[in-house]
Amino acid sequence: MSATTVIANDAEALTVAAELAADFRKDAAERDAQRRLPHAELERLSASGLLAVTVPAEFGGADVRTDTLAEIFRLLAAADASLAQIPQSHFVYVGVLRRQGTHEQQEFFFGEVLRGKRLGNAQSEAGTKHVQDIRTRLTPRPDGSYLLDGVKNYSTGALFADWIPVLTRADDDALHVAYVPRDAPGLTVVDDWDGMGQRTTASGTVRLESVPVPADRVLPHHLTFQSPQLHGALAQLLHAAIDAGIASGALAEAVEFVRTKSRPWFESVEEGHETAAEDPLLIQRFGELAIQVRAADALLAAAARSVDAARAELTDDSAAEASIAVAAAKVTAAEAAVEVASALFEVSGTRSALDSLGLHRHWRDARTHTLHDPARWKVQHIGRYVLNGTRPPRHGLL
């Protein structure tokens, strides 16, 4: 597998993303219904060069703006939210390499990414005390290498990856990321994801049993949080973009359905409206939904610009402002995704609930994806920042 092109700039990246999204949309409902994993689609994504757009220019990448990256995800998610979710961790762990990788590590892995290689994710663990209670362990060996042991869950992208970044703790409990090849001895990826939504993300289990890891494949992730950082803001921004895309995709499906399939309510006909699209009550509802989608899109774009502004001059204050902007975008996009995906049925009528149409995938995807981390805590941090000037914590989820 190798990228057939290296994308040169932001405009090219957006053009490629829009073209791919248009193609991916065609079979999205069928993939969801049959739980047909998007192997072919991911090969196209790799070959397009899109997965390398955040590689720094000094290593041959386009190093696109953050608002471009967010829009790529929004476009893909509007077409197929499962497919859009798969590369989210890829970009997060490219970012980890940018911040904590040595020049040699960056040169190697950025070269891999430019050749179309995909990074997955083995981060979360089930059954622990809380989400940051990481029990996977990196044990040093006499020759300077390590052994990796643990069990990971919700490992989106791992099944399709060439490299799986594993969040782990060393003997001193410091947080590290080990970049492990998908075919490493002792590493097993289990396709046991059975979520009601995001069915084709293959967000299953990764088992690590004495997996050998060379020293130069380990990065000190704990250093990320010892100074102003945008790790959490970028990760959450991409989640917000996925939610905004779901809302946009659901609204587009509702518009198409009402224009072409819905019958007008008889009382609307009695008042002289011949089609469902002429019903003033439906027009009102579509206006309300469109406002929600526009608000989500606007806050997403503003948050992305805030991340880039902070990156240009990274301080505690600029990082805090970026994190708060992203939190606001994430809360709004999550609400829009769930509301619009549900309202799709309200405005479209009984026929839209037919299982064969697959329109329910938007709501299932929204409801599943928005569980990733609680919006209520984002609202708390926004309130504390606005009222008392309290900066959000550096824990990677803001």
Side-chain angles (χ1 to χ4, degrees):
M1 176 183 62
S2 61
T4 58
T5 184
V6 174
I7 289 175
N9 52 49
D10 294 75
E12 184 182 354
L14 291 173
T15 298
V16 171
E19 291 172 350
L20 285 177
D23 282 348
F24 293 161
R25 180 179 294 109
K26 296 172 185 175
D27 298 323
E30 178 186 342
R31 282 193 297 274
D32 175 83
Q34 299 177 2
R35 197 178 176 271
R36 177 166 60 81
L37 300 182
H39 292 284
E41 289 76 15
L42 287 169
E43 290 296 323
R44 288 189 61 193
L45 193 61
S46 287
S48 74
L50 272 185
L51 296 183
V53 295
T54 59
V55 170
E58 65 180 294
F59 292 95
D63 201 7
V64 300
R65 299 187 308 271
T66 305
D67 62 337
T68 296
L69 182 62
E71 179 63 5
I72 289 169
F73 271 80
R74 193 194 69 83
L75 288 168
L76 293 174
D80 184 340
S82 285
L83 187 53
Q85 177 64 30
I86 292 167
Q88 190 266 349
S89 291
H90 170 94
F91 285 99
V92 168
Y93 285 103
V94 168
V96 171
L97 285 160
R98 290 185 65 143
R99 284 184 298 275
Q100 300 302 340
T102 64
H103 182 83
E104 291 75 17
Q105 288 171 326
Q106 291 174 341
E107 193 169 50
F108 174 77
F109 279 109
F110 291 154
E112 289 283 274
V113 171
L114 285 166
R115 287 187 288 275
K117 302 295 186 182
R118 294 189 291 271
L119 307 184
N121 139 59
Q123 180 168 290
S124 294
E125 299 178 13
T128 56
K129 186 173 182 179
H130 52 72
V131 72
Q132 295 210 339
D133 180 15
I134 302 298
R135 300 184 183 180
T136 297
R137 283 296 181 268
L138 195 63
T139 305
R141 305 170 81 181
D143 64 359
S145 66
Y146 299 91
L147 291 177
L148 192 57
D149 290 275
V151 178
K152 297 292 188 176
N153 306 91
Y154 314 119
S155 302
T156 304
L159 189 69
F160 312 106
D162 299 287
W163 291 89
I164 301 177
V166 180
L167 199 60
T168 180
R169 294 195 184 275
D171 281 354
D172 60 359
D173 214 38
L175 202 60
H176 290 71
V177 177
Y179 288 71
V180 182
R182 169 69 176 80
D183 58 357
L187 187 153
T188 306
V189 181
V190 184
D191 180 22
D192 56 358
W193 170 244
D194 66 347
M196 69 172 183
Q198 294 199 295
R199 288 177 172 174
T200 62
T201 58
S203 301
T205 301
V206 172
R207 295 196 177 97
L208 305 143
E209 299 175 303
S210 298
V211 177
V213 184
D216 62 358
R217 297 292 181 259
V218 178
L219 277 70
H221 193 35
H222 59 98
L223 298 180
T224 299
F225 307 104
Q226 294 181 7
S227 59
Q229 52 83 36
L230 297 170
H231 172 80
L234 179 65
Q236 290 297 306
L237 183 76
L238 299 186
H239 284 306
I242 292 168
D243 289 338
I246 293 172
S248 176
L251 182 60
E253 291 256 33
V255 167
E256 177 66 16
F257 196 95
V258 170
R259 284 177 176 173
T260 62
K261 296 182 178 66
S262 292
R263 295 183 298 177
W265 184 241
F266 75 95
E267 290 174 287
S268 178
V269 174
E270 288 175 352
E271 293 186 0
H273 308 295
E274 294 299 320
T275 68
E278 296 171 354
D279 184 330
L281 299 180
L282 281 181
I283 289 172
Q284 175 72 18
R285 188 63 174 128
F286 270 99
E288 294 167 351
L289 297 175
I291 289 168
Q292 283 191 281
V293 172
R294 284 174 176 261
D297 291 349
L299 284 175
L300 178 70
R305 291 192 296 270
S306 184
V307 170
D308 273 337
R311 181 175 286 126
E313 189 174 349
L314 190 58
T315 65
D316 281 323
D317 287 336
S318 66
E321 181 59 33
S323 290
I324 293 299
V326 171
K330 180 65 171 69
V331 170
T332 303
E335 291 175 349
V338 174
E339 171 69 15
V340 177
S342 177
L344 187 161
F345 303 100
E346 169 197 336
V347 297
S348 300
T350 306
R351 186 182 173 191
S352 64
L354 293 176
D355 187 61
S356 59
L357 296 177
L359 296 177
H360 46 63
R361 77 183 188 280
H362 298 291
W363 183 87
R364 288 186 288 97
D365 286 341
R367 186 63 282 174
T368 301
H369 183 255
T370 54
L371 299 176
H372 188 274
D373 48 271
R376 60 186 178 273
W377 273 97
K378 289 178 169 50
V379 175
Q380 273 287 309
H381 289 301
I382 293 169
R384 293 172 185 179
Y385 181 75
V386 170
L387 187 59
N388 299 315
T390 304
R391 297 189 190 107
R394 298 173 183 160
H395 56 40
L397 292 171
L398 275 168

